[in-house]
Amino acid sequence: MADLEDVQTVDLMSELLRRLKCAQKPDKRLIFIGPPGSGKGTQSPIVKDEYCLCHLSTGDMLRAAVASKTPLGLKAKEAMDKLDEMLKKRGTGIDKVLNFAIDDSVLEERITGRWIHPSSGRSYHTKFAPPKTPGVDDITGEPLIQRKDDNAEVLRSRLAAFHSQTEPVIDYYAKKSVLTNIKAEKPPKEVTSEVQKALS
Ligand code: ADP
């Protein structure tokens, strides 16, 4: 941790203001749901900052846990199962579910052009959202990677899994009247406006 004496007063003040602003915001529990490439990862950091939320990417968490097969990975899996149980017992406790609705045909171009900064989850796109320098994260300057499963062939099976396993979850939330559909095919800024409107 940094020594407080090394932190500029102006930075301390802006952090204090940020915390004050956050303390006044109501707690919100949101779920972003949608097929791979629908823009969840692009929109969530914006909402996270605006509403002072904590962003959990369940996809990233699961992938990391399964891939590691370490005791920690197994524990992560156990913890997620427990969380599921808790949510089942207590009701969802979810304020809003945003469904990133999009036609499958758009997703191949999005997925094959996606580049990711692994530690933050920031995503870029060679055509739609290019980084300032190709292959490099704008903020940290660290290298970007392409996910191994971000290719046309694997996408087909990921989409089949989405339709058979995730769509029933969308129906479940629709019946609970917490679901808002977001037109995820629009340009990123317009999607952000839709998301903000749904949350206001
Ligand atoms: P998800 O998290 O839902 O899998 P991402 O947010 O990572 O999707 O977006 C997938 C790819 O599409 C990324 O490369 C991203 O830059 C790009 N993208 C995201 N939203 C849009 C949009 N509205 N229009 C065009 N490209 C987008």
Side-chain angles (χ1 to χ4, degrees), residues 34-43 110-111 113-115 123-125 128-129 184-188 191:
S38 57
K40 306 176 295 294
T42 301
Q43 299 298 331
R110 286 213 191 165
I111 283 294
R114 168 160 75 178
W115 286 79
S123 68
Y124 298 87
H125 192 282
F128 304 126
E185 269 169 54
K186 294 180 173 180
V191 178

Side-chain angles (χ1 to χ4, degrees), residues 59-70 72-74 76-77 80:
D60 287 351
M61 286 160 74
L62 275 169
R63 274 187 292 278
V66 171
S68 71
K69 287 189 193 137
T70 56
L72 192 66
L74 296 174
K77 169 98 180 60
M80 281 184 274

Side-chain angles (χ1 to χ4, degrees), residues 117 119 122 124 131-144:
H117 177 237
S119 58
R122 267 186 290 282
Y124 298 87
K132 287 185 195 123
T133 310
V136 176
D137 178 51
D138 285 357
I139 295 178
T140 61
E142 288 165 357
L144 302 175

Side-chain angles (χ1 to χ4, degrees), residues 27-44:
D27 184 29
K28 266 193 204 293
R29 291 173 200 196
L30 311 172
I31 293 182
F32 284 10
I33 205 163
S38 57
K40 306 176 295 294
T42 301
Q43 299 298 331
S44 28

